[in-house]
Amino acid sequence: MNKNKKIVALICAMAMIFSMFASFTVVNAEEITKGIVLEYEASTRTANTAVVVAKAVGYTQVDSFTVNINVPDGVQESDVTVKDALLKGEAGLTDGVYGYSAGSTGAVDVPANGVLIKFEIKLPSTVTESFDVTLQDKSQIGVDTDILSTLRKNLPISTTTVEKYVDPSITPTPTPLEPTTTRAPKPTKAPVATEDPSATVVPTKAPVEVTKGIALETESVANGTAVIVAKAVGYTQVDSFTVNINVPDGVQESDVTVKDALLKGEAGLTDGVYGYSAGSTGAVDVPANGVLIKFEIKLPSTVTESFDVTLQDKSQIGVDTDILSTLRKNLPLAWTTVKISSAEPTPTAAPSVVGSVALNKLVSSDKVTGENVANNESDYRIGIVVTKNGAEAEYGTDFIAFYGDKELTEDEYVGLVNGYLDSIDGVTSLKDVIDNITFKTYNSGVKIYAELVNANNEVVDNSTVNADPTPTAKPTEPSISVKASSTTVEFDKKFTVTATVKNAKDGAKVAFTTNDDEKYAVIFGTPTEINSKGETKATYVANDKAGTVTITATYKDTEGNEKSASVKVTVKKASTTTGGNDGTTSGGGPSIIAPGHTGAVTTPNTNTNYKPDFQDLDSVEWARTAINGLAMRGMISGRDQYTFDPNANITRAEYCQILMGAINALNAKGESTFADVPSTAWYYNAVSVASQLGIVSGYGDGNFGPNDLITRQDMALMTYKTAKIMNKSLEPVNAEITFEDSHEISDYAFEAVMTLQKAGIINGMTDTTFEPHSNATRAQSAKVIFDTFVDAQ
């Protein structure tokens, strides 16, 4: 009875643990069509309070929501008051994030204003400037099964700016850049398009911001041939790239010639898209001109007008793990125009955007009160001065303005900011102008000053911003430290030495050496690569000779940096042993492998001095340490002395047997209710104990499927549940990977897969795919169990 209570308690504890870590992209409120939108309630702003409103978008009913927002430093839990909550719930403050979580047994109508909840925040006196409030991790909204959440990364991350408090009774002092107080004359409106294209000035297509990725440029157009250049931007080295571009109708594969390719690769034409894909085994320096490849295109005689060439689907560029691609949706889709004319002039490539500033970051539309609009003219206006390095900036060369996605001509821009609302279609108020204009700058050193002037010629809001991006901090020198999992180790025991590198350079390596010619300890397997935390680990096995060994970790990189650090480990004779294996969990309990028949891959080797000698591990070098480590402990064995058969599959029963052995649970007693798990089966104890602990639950039809091959997602789930029960650390060491086939991961296994991936325990089958329903191999199984339950010791 007590044992069953403990098992139930463990299951309950597992159900209460929820952990996720992800990176998100903040989305403008106007871009969110479904989810939660945050808004700053400007009308209620006081000197020491601000109200942030969370609204439902795209939902007419909800039955649950969780809104987590960041609050300024110094805000206490008692400083936040929840108001107008649509559903009853619980609130609290943890690590600078204030959250409210609520649910109901049935769906509740969302009010017309969309309000889910309001947070009234009492601000400390130290908060004197504007600040952003952003939707945080673990937020969600839903009704029935229609749920958006940060776990699935399908909930847009909304943000709002709480503006600096300005006492309305005080008129701000204008800066020295104050514009003239006289409204500018109304510019001539842009001509209306006619049937004759030559009679209308067509605005230039908006440039694409490519600060990192692949830029396209038109190098030349002459003699019926166009040359398109693809350049790397923001990369100094690459080891792979794929450039896919559209070509005009009538272009054949033989009409395109590849030139000056940085890497060797393959090219071809499919459905009007010409592509070149290349890769190398090591990183290659990008030349000073950035050129990745040139496409020389022989144009058909039918091409008589200018056309755009745009980066197409499945394009990518990267080095090591720093990859941008259209599949990941993080690669800007650059374009260039090939201009065709009788003189065939060389076209100018779209300028690169240096900075971007929204007008509502300079002046607030909330300051437009009592506006009077007559004859499409507002009695408010905005005075703007743009400078470059102290001198007046030139429109179209140094900066340009957009209204939403529309690039404005200079006359349209001047007209709108001066209150002439009919300068373009669809503008009804100066508030629209403030909230929709964005400045794009094409040169550094650009500053923008703006002030909002009312009908009485009074300045009611003003500020200045530097449009340059934040400079990159100068990298610091690398450093290294080292520690051992234990500084005193008994004969024949394993221990781990971890070197931690700060500010590691690309391509850096760490080598481990001893001062005793491996007299007291010998390295076991291959040290791990430097991970995202800067850690690399080497596994050692103590010999049967007492003494002290100094283990040194030496860091080297291609820039000539070399750093070393050492740790001393004392090897001593074991005190009293109980025989059997060396154990992989702390405390007492039964042995790792239960006596009797244990299946094809779990037969223990009871010789504690056994040294594996498998000859077929070259294809799974990444799993060699794990396989040898488990075999040395008697937790798995090969087909014979020299054959492990690493790429063969493993059954559900076999994996369960190894897993329960890893936590010393094979001698525990349990009862199985599975119809296909007889009490005489060699795996009965393992499956029955795993079932009682909630680690396995079978197929739902009363069967466990012991002889079915285990899938990769089920391997992850069983491992994750077992680690939770054993309180094993699953802290993230890697950034989360959004696998292209993540939608194929079953809901019941999704959290397990992503947690183990971030913990560095399980990887994808490729850089972009996980293959959740593929069968796990013997090598994969050994690596997952070793890294979770043995290497973590």
Side-chain angles (χ1 to χ4, degrees):
M1 179 65 71
N2 289 335
K3 183 177 295 182
N4 286 336
K5 287 182 177 180
K6 291 180 179 179
I7 293 172
V8 171
L10 284 169
I11 295 172
C12 292
M14 288 171 60
M16 294 175 64
I17 299 173
F18 182 82
S19 172
M20 63 181 181
F21 308 85
S23 59
F24 303 100
T25 301
V26 176
V27 180
N28 293 330
E30 59 269 19
E31 297 176 8
I32 297 176
T33 58
K34 190 171 184 179
I36 299 172
V37 168
L38 298 182
E39 293 183 2
Y40 157 56
E41 194 173 78
S43 61
T44 59
R45 181 74 157 97
T46 69
N48 58 5
T49 61
V51 175
V52 176
V53 184
K55 294 184 176 182
V57 178
Y59 282 92
T60 57
Q61 292 186 316
V62 295
D63 57 23
S64 67
F65 65 84
T66 299
V67 181
N68 294 321
I69 61 171
N70 60 292
V71 294
D73 291 340
V75 172
Q76 307 297 316
E77 188 168 314
S78 58
D79 294 332
V80 184
T81 302
V82 169
K83 292 187 173 183
D84 301 341
L86 182 61
L87 303 177
K88 289 184 178 180
E90 296 183 356
L93 177 68
T94 304
D95 296 332
V97 174
Y98 192 91
Y100 184 89
S101 185
S104 68
T105 55
V108 175
D109 290 337
V110 175
N113 61 8
V115 172
L116 295 172
I117 189 171
K118 294 183 179 182
F119 301 97
E120 183 179 87
I121 308 169
K122 183 179 179 181
L123 301 173
S125 59
T126 53
V127 179
T128 59
E129 300 294 331
S130 301
F131 61 92
D132 288 341
V133 175
T134 303
L135 202 62
Q136 301 292 309
D137 193 17
K138 300 183 183 178
S139 296
Q140 66 90 16
I141 183 174
V143 59
D144 197 15
T145 59
D146 182 13
I147 300 172
L148 301 182
S149 72
T150 54
L151 171 62
R152 284 285 182 175
K153 294 197 293 188
N154 59 356
L155 177 66
I157 304 303
S158 175
T159 189
T160 188
T161 299
V162 176
E163 300 293 345
K164 172 183 176 181
Y165 177 73
V166 179
D167 190 337
S169 66
I170 300 175
T171 300
T173 302
T175 72
L177 294 175
E178 179 183 359
T180 175
T181 56
T182 304
R183 183 191 297 268
K186 186 173 183 178
T188 304
K189 290 191 67 172
V192 178
T194 67
E195 294 182 1
D196 180 7
S198 63
T200 302
V201 178
V202 181
T204 305
K205 183 177 179 181
V208 176
E209 296 186 45
V210 182
T211 56
K212 188 172 185 180
I214 300 172
L216 296 181
E217 295 181 2
T218 304
E219 182 179 85
S220 63
V221 183
N223 301 319
T225 300
V227 177
I228 308 298
V229 184
K231 294 185 176 182
V233 179
Y235 282 92
T236 58
Q237 292 186 316
V238 295
D239 57 22
S240 68
F241 65 85
T242 299
V243 181
N244 294 321
I245 60 171
N246 59 291
V247 293
D249 291 342
V251 171
Q252 305 298 314
E253 187 167 315
S254 58
D255 294 331
V256 184
T257 303
V258 169
K259 292 188 173 183
D260 300 343
L262 182 60
L263 303 177
K264 290 184 178 180
E266 296 183 354
L269 177 68
T270 304
D271 297 330
V273 174
Y274 191 92
Y276 183 91
S277 185
S280 69
T281 56
V284 175
D285 290 337
V286 174
N289 61 8
V291 172
L292 295 172
I293 189 173
K294 295 182 180 181
F295 300 97
E296 185 179 270
I297 307 170
K298 183 179 179 181
L299 301 174
S301 58
T302 52
V303 178
T304 58
E305 296 181 354
S306 301
F307 61 92
D308 288 342
V309 174
T310 305
L311 205 59
Q312 300 293 308
D313 194 20
K314 299 184 181 178
S315 296
Q316 67 90 16
I317 183 174
V319 59
D320 196 16
T321 59
D322 182 12
I323 300 171
L324 301 181
S325 70
T326 55
L327 291 174
R328 298 173 185 231
K329 296 183 179 178
N330 58 358
L331 179 66
L333 295 182
W335 61 271
T336 184
T337 298
V338 178
K339 293 185 178 179
I340 306 296
S341 67
S342 57
E344 293 189 332
T346 301
T348 302
S352 297
V353 175
V354 172
S356 177
V357 177
L359 181 55
N360 59 17
K361 297 297 183 183
L362 290 155
V363 293
S364 173
S365 60
D366 294 332
K367 300 295 183 180
V368 180
T369 57
E371 178 185 16
N372 180 37
V373 177
N375 298 321
N376 292 316
E377 293 183 13
S378 172
D379 59 352
Y380 274 75
R381 66 184 179 83
I382 308 160
I384 297 176
V385 174
V386 184
T387 62
K388 185 184 75 170
N389 298 324
E392 184 178 357
E394 182 178 349
Y395 192 88
T397 299
D398 300 315
F399 77 102
I400 202 165
F402 286 79
Y403 187 92
D405 294 331
K406 173 182 171 57
E407 180 181 325
L408 299 176
T409 66
E410 186 171 8
D411 284 345
E412 290 171 339
Y413 155 66
V414 172
L416 287 175
V417 298
N418 279 280
Y420 302 117
L421 305 180
D422 59 349
S423 297
I424 64 172
D425 294 334
V427 183
T428 60
S429 165
L430 201 72
K431 286 188 175 184
D432 296 341
V433 175
I434 294 173
D435 289 334
N436 287 281
I437 282 187
T438 301
F439 297 98
K440 301 292 179 72
T441 60
Y442 301 140
N443 290 299
S444 58
V446 174
K447 288 187 177 181
I448 304 174
Y449 168 81
E451 63 182 17
L452 180 63
V453 181
N454 65 15
N456 298 321
N457 217 29
E458 297 170 334
V459 176
V460 295
D461 197 9
N462 69 335
S463 63
T464 303
V465 298
N466 185 338
D468 290 348
T470 303
T472 303
K474 182 180 179 180
T476 54
E477 291 296 313
S479 63
I480 188 170
S481 60
V482 65
K483 64 179 181 179
S485 57
S486 177
T487 55
T488 303
V489 184
E490 295 178 351
F491 290 176
D492 297 322
K493 299 295 183 182
K494 183 204 76 168
F495 61 97
T496 301
V497 176
T498 301
T500 302
V501 179
K502 292 184 178 180
N503 306 312
K505 309 296 183 182
D506 290 342
K509 299 289 184 183
V510 173
F512 292 86
T513 56
T514 62
N515 68 336
D516 64 346
D517 294 327
E518 299 188 339
K519 178 179 179 181
Y520 302 113
V522 60
I523 197 165
F524 188 79
T526 304
T528 62
E529 296 292 329
I530 300 174
N531 63 20
S532 60
K533 283 188 173 181
E535 294 179 344
T536 174
K537 296 182 179 182
T539 302
Y540 281 83
V541 177
N543 287 331
D544 55 357
K545 186 172 292 185
T548 299
V549 57
T550 299
I551 299 174
T552 301
T554 303
Y555 165 94
K556 291 183 180 180
D557 59 37
T558 56
E559 297 180 13
N561 295 302
E562 182 171 335
K563 307 287 182 179
S564 296
S566 302
V567 64
K568 292 184 177 181
V569 177
T570 300
V571 177
K572 68 177 185 177
K573 185 178 181 180
S575 52
T576 303
T577 62
T578 57
N581 60 74
D582 65 351
T584 60
T585 58
S586 59
S591 63
I592 289 292
I593 300 296
H597 183 39
T598 55
V601 298
T602 58
T603 303
N605 188 310
T606 57
N607 176 7
T608 57
N609 293 318
Y610 169 67
K611 297 294 188 292
D613 191 22
F614 299 126
Q615 302 295 307
D616 60 346
L617 302 185
D618 288 347
S619 65
V620 291
E621 190 62 41
W622 48 269
R624 185 185 295 274
T625 297
I627 292 168
N628 287 334
L630 295 184
M632 190 173 69
R633 288 163 176 77
M635 295 174 66
I636 59 174
S637 66
R639 302 300 193 192
D640 56 42
Q641 181 180 357
Y642 303 110
T643 305
F644 181 73
D645 199 6
N647 296 310
N649 297 126
I650 182 171
T651 67
R652 288 164 58 83
E654 289 169 343
Y655 191 77
C656 187
Q657 180 82 5
I658 302 174
L659 200 57
M660 293 300 97
I663 63 170
N664 279 344
L666 288 176
N667 282 348
K669 299 299 181 183
E671 294 184 2
S672 169
T673 59
F674 295 123
D676 56 354
V677 180
S679 59
T680 56
W682 57 266
Y683 48 79
Y684 177 81
N685 262 17
V687 175
S688 60
V689 170
S691 176
Q692 277 197 269
L693 290 175
I695 295 170
V696 299
S697 57
Y699 289 140
D701 60 356
N703 292 313
F704 174 68
N707 297 317
D708 294 345
L709 298 178
I710 192 168
T711 63
R712 286 170 49 78
Q713 70 173 14
D714 285 353
M715 173 180 68
L717 180 63
M718 290 169 64
T719 306
Y720 172 76
K721 288 184 175 182
T722 305
K724 284 291 190 181
I725 288 175
M726 298 304 294
N727 292 320
K728 290 292 182 181
S729 174
L730 296 176
E731 291 297 316
V733 298
N734 295 326
E736 181 175 311
I737 297 174
T738 302
F739 294 111
E740 294 171 9
D741 57 355
S742 61
H743 61 283
E744 296 179 11
I745 302 173
S746 300
D747 286 346
Y748 68 80
F750 187 85
E751 183 179 358
V753 170
M754 301 317 297
T755 301
L756 296 189
Q757 178 267 308
K758 289 184 288 186
I761 291 171
I762 197 167
N763 297 315
M765 291 297 288
T766 69
D767 288 342
T768 57
T769 59
F770 181 74
E771 298 185 20
H773 300 289
S774 294
N775 296 320
T777 67
R778 286 162 58 88
Q780 292 169 357
S781 301
K783 185 76 164 66
V784 168
I785 289 178
F786 183 85
D787 286 355
T788 308
F789 301 103
V790 180
D791 194 39
Q793 299 278 331

